[in-house]
């Protein structure tokens, strides 16, 4: 088992368990240079997993990432996603080529199906396999898949080679702890927690986070991130567009939540006692 600072994929690749999201980047051309600077600052802090998707800003997020990683490609573990509408056998291949071109690179480290759509899973898996064979992607996975989706994927030929499932997981959305996260652990699938800060909204203003943060001389965001990093098989990808937020987030790696903190979090955000359908944003 990888230690808490890293997560390990089924093929042995090990990456830092805190990375960077990029949703909403690339939307405004006037912000793009600052956003790329922020991603580079994140790389300097060791947040080397960068998550993007073809649909973010209609490819604009991938272009920001291209700018950020230029000359630094080998430092980065690059993740992008195929939109469900493109996820046929040939469509998956074509979408990946378009992403690679926008990203200015010849390979992705991980390519995900963004969520389930109308194309049969077998088609998407066939497209992923082609991309693996040609070296365009190093591994593939899915996103927003609940346990029943994962089980269906496991029945598709080659579906059990899925390396990761990217899901909504934060203190406000703990449903996956009941069944999905244990399922992923058992099957060697890395869980990637998206919106670990609750998108920077209400969650960070919750008094329980404030109290724990005060005990540790930390911030509410760091408590939320430290929570997302408790489980060894979870990779957390907060999005930050300012250096202040990046410094704050990177320091969350050093925050250890003790038993008292965890009990307080369980009181404020009770863990699931029965199945909850996977939420998605
Ligand atoms: P996050 O939970 O990462 O929150 C991002 C927000 O929090 C931004 O407004 C950011 O502000 C703010 N923030 C960042 N750091 C701090 C801090 N230290 N203190 C206070 N506020 C902070 O939400 P996201 O929805 O962006 O999720 C993260 C990533 O997950 C996405 O960017 C995307 O890559 C992925 N994702 C995947 C989905 C999927 O379906 N697969 C769905 C949703 C997200 P600022 O930008 O100003 O720094």
């Amino acid at each position: 088992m990888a230690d808490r600072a890293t997560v390990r994929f089924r093929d042995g690749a090990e990456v830092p368990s805190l990375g960077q999201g990029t949703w909403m980047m690339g939307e405004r051309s006037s912000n793009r240079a600052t956003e790329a600077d922020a991603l580079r600052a994140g790389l300097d802090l060791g947040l080397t997993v960068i998550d993007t998707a073809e649909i973010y800003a209609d490819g604009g997020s991938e272009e920001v990432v291209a700018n950020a990683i230029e000359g630094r490609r080998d430092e980065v573990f690059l993740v992008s996603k195929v939109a469900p509408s493109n996820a046929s056998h040939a469509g998956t291949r074509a979408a990946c080529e378009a992403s690679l071109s926008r990203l200015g690179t010849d390979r992705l480290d991980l390519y995900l199906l963004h969520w389930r759509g109308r194309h049969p899973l077998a088609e998407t898996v066939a497209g992923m396999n082609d991309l693996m064979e040609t070296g365009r992607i190093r591994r593939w996975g899915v996103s927003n898949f609940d346990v029943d989706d994962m089980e269906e994927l496991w029945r598709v030929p080659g579906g059990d080679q899925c390396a990761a499932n990217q899901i909504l997981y934060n203190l406000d959305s703990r449903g996956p702890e009941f069944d999905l996260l244990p399922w992923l652990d058992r099957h060697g699938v890395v869980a990637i927690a998206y919106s670990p800060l609750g998108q920077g909204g209400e969650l960070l203003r919750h008094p329980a986070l404030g109290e724990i943060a005060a005990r540790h001389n930390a911030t509410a965001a760091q408590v939320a991130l430290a929570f997302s990093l408790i489980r060894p098989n979870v990779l957390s990808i907060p999005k930050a567009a300012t250096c202040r937020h990046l410094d704050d987030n990177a320091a969350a790696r050093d925050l250890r939540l003790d038993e008292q903190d965890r009990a307080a979090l369980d009181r404020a955000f009770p863990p699931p006692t029965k199945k909850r359908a996977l939420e998605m944003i």
Side-chain angles (χ1 to χ4, degrees):
M1 188 64 80
D3 74 20
R4 185 177 166 283
T6 60
V7 292
R8 188 172 295 157
F9 287 90
R10 58 166 71 253
D11 59 10
E14 205 165 330
V15 301
S17 51
L18 191 66
Q20 305 190 69
T22 65
W23 189 20
M24 306 305 288
M25 290 189 179
E27 295 278 355
R28 287 166 169 235
S29 50
S30 55
N31 288 346
R32 285 185 174 204
T34 320
E35 290 163 350
D37 283 346
L39 288 170
R40 272 190 292 270
L43 291 181
D44 293 340
L45 290 163
L47 308 183
T48 51
V49 175
I50 297 184
D51 176 80
T52 182
E54 62 170 335
I55 64 163
Y56 296 165
D58 206 11
S61 165
E62 290 179 327
E63 288 166 5
V64 170
V65 173
N67 178 348
I69 67 174
E70 195 181 349
R72 304 181 70 166
R73 176 65 186 92
D74 291 345
E75 289 173 50
V76 180
F77 186 93
L78 188 55
V79 186
S80 192
K81 313 184 195 84
V82 56
S85 56
N86 287 335
S88 64
H89 185 165
T92 300
R93 287 198 310 251
C96 184
E97 291 302 331
S99 283
L100 290 170
S101 159
R102 280 188 295 270
L103 285 161
T105 184
D106 60 354
R107 67 196 186 278
L108 292 172
D109 297 289
L110 178 64
Y111 196 39
L112 307 176
L113 169 61
H114 209 145
W115 66 90
R116 282 195 75 167
R118 66 191 157 90
H119 293 293
L121 292 177
E123 287 235 359
T124 313
V125 171
M128 294 292 189
N129 281 336
D130 288 354
L131 291 165
M132 294 278 292
E133 272 169 26
T134 54
R136 305 304 260 168
I137 63 173
R138 293 275 155 86
R139 49 195 75 72
W140 65 269
V142 293
S143 177
N144 297 299
F145 270 44
D146 207 340
V147 171
D148 53 349
D149 301 307
M150 292 306 297
E151 284 177 342
E152 196 178 325
L153 180 61
W154 248 239
R155 292 194 290 272
V156 168
D160 61 358
Q161 293 309 299
C162 170
N165 183 12
Q166 186 175 118
I167 55 169
L168 176 64
Y169 180 54
N170 61 40
L171 280 162
D172 261 338
S173 298
R174 296 184 65 172
E177 288 174 28
F178 184 74
D179 55 350
L180 181 55
L181 289 172
W183 194 100
L184 298 175
D185 291 349
R186 280 199 307 279
H187 292 82
V189 180
V190 168
I192 306 180
Y194 73 68
S195 308
L197 298 167
Q199 303 202 288
E202 282 297 307
L203 176 63
L204 299 188
R205 290 187 285 278
H206 195 290
L209 268 66
E211 282 160 29
I212 295 168
R215 270 206 292 279
H216 291 278
N217 197 18
T219 65
Q222 288 169 342
V223 176
L225 291 179
F227 167 81
S228 73
L229 294 172
I230 289 174
R231 299 178 72 104
N233 191 36
V234 175
L235 163 57
S236 181
I237 49 164
K239 176 257 181 183
T242 67
C243 287
R244 186 170 66 82
H245 283 166
L246 280 161
D247 286 337
D248 202 31
N249 296 348
R253 293 173 296 195
D254 301 322
L255 174 59
R256 295 284 181 275
L257 298 176
D258 59 28
E259 270 178 37
Q260 185 190 353
D261 302 327
R262 292 187 195 196
L265 289 176
D266 285 350
R267 279 193 299 278
F269 306 94
T273 53
K274 59 180 169 44
K275 169 73 186 166
R276 294 183 201 160
L278 180 65
E279 300 165 71
M280 70 179 275
I281 291 178

